[in-house]
Amino acid sequence: MNLKKLTRKNVRELKPYQTARDEFKGLATIFLDANENPFPSAFNRYPDPHQSTLKKEIAAIKGVASKQLILGNGSDEIIDLLLRAFCDPGVDNVIIPQPTYGMYSVSAQINNIEIRQPLLNNNFQLNTESIFESIDSKTKLIFLCSPNNPSGNLLEREAIESILERFEGLVIIDEAYIDFSSEPGWLNALTIRPNLFIIQTLSKAWGLAGLRIGLGFGGEEVIQILSRIKPPYNINSASQKEVMNILDNPNAREKYIELNRVERAKMESRLASLPFVKRIFPSEANFLLIKVDNAMECYRHLIEDKIVVRDRSTLPLCENCLRVTIGTPEENSKIIESLLKFNTKKLP
Ligand SMILES: *Cc1c(COP(=O)(O)O)cnc(C)c1O
């Protein structure tokens, strides 16, 4: 991978914004350099733009170096940074195998980047041939999601290996759901694969969706480029502080992951007993994609019972499919109860 060729010219030549704290790094007691309100309160000072303490802690937990990590205001910001760093609007293109998480396409459209969308196969696995056919000299990024949203499955390792091997741009693997999976994911391959970039998030297994913390892992030089263009204060002080507290206590997260595993298996077998459920796709995440005989009817019935799931019917390969998040044991019992009622209602 030729990183210089991959990076947009204006980004390569950019002189990044210097914050007050970037310009002065020594010890001082009086800070009159950032036009802050001088009277102490919890939030009168700007946050650390480099998030050094937080990054050190997260990097240690993930077994990578701080220099291989960038934090975003949610993963969504990291997706946007990747597009803005590497793709020239109106010139370059990205590959997004479908169906998958919608934000890659939306972000590419906002940035006016052409999207190429080869289909996954019937098991929601990569069709490497159609991906290779979509690549040309203007292809900068390939977005993969594993476990995939909305299908829930891990993408096969060999297929990803072959793409990493042959593609000269960045291969992005979104591992938002990796904590729920039985397999370890791709972080271990980071040092041997310079064109690998991994996205994770604290929004799912960590239970911190409201704090907006996305994690980007890549080679040191790729991380440097993204750091140059990120908004300086993209992670606010409250989030930086609160995350530190939660990282210190991993027990709640471990408990949730285990509960999800048990409840997911229970939901699979209960759903399988419903005649109108035609298929339950195997999941390594905290949701199940199910094919029913009439998704819209089923969705509306659930809404009448004040239960909301995601109707994914309009996505390719997802005809009559609903995506159901695994909830608390009580919530899961409630949705099954409601679906049993729906079943009876349907009987002539
Ligand atoms: C939920 C989700 C995310 C998380 O996005 P945040 O902006 O970090 O909350 C990222 N990728 C996928 C595939 C998701 O489903």
Side-chain angles (χ1 to χ4, degrees), residues 73-77 79 100-101 104 145 147 149 174 176-177 199-204 209 212-214 287 323:
N73 184 8
S75 318
D76 294 345
E77 185 175 55
I79 295 164
T100 193
Y101 185 47
Y104 318 130
C145 187
N149 180 2
D174 185 343
Y177 300 99
I199 297 176
Q200 294 185 4
T201 180
L202 302 189
S203 294
K204 305 285 156 65
R212 311 305 304 129
I213 308 279
F287 57 85
R323 194 194 68 192

Side-chain angles (χ1 to χ4, degrees), residues 87-88 91-95 113-116 134-141 167:
C87 302
D88 260 313
V91 177
D92 292 329
N93 67 72
V94 298
I95 295 176
I113 311 299
E114 182 197 331
I115 306 163
R116 301 189 173 179
S134 308
I135 298 174
D136 67 14
S137 64
K138 296 294 180 196
T139 307
K140 295 293 191 76
L141 311 172
F167 180 52

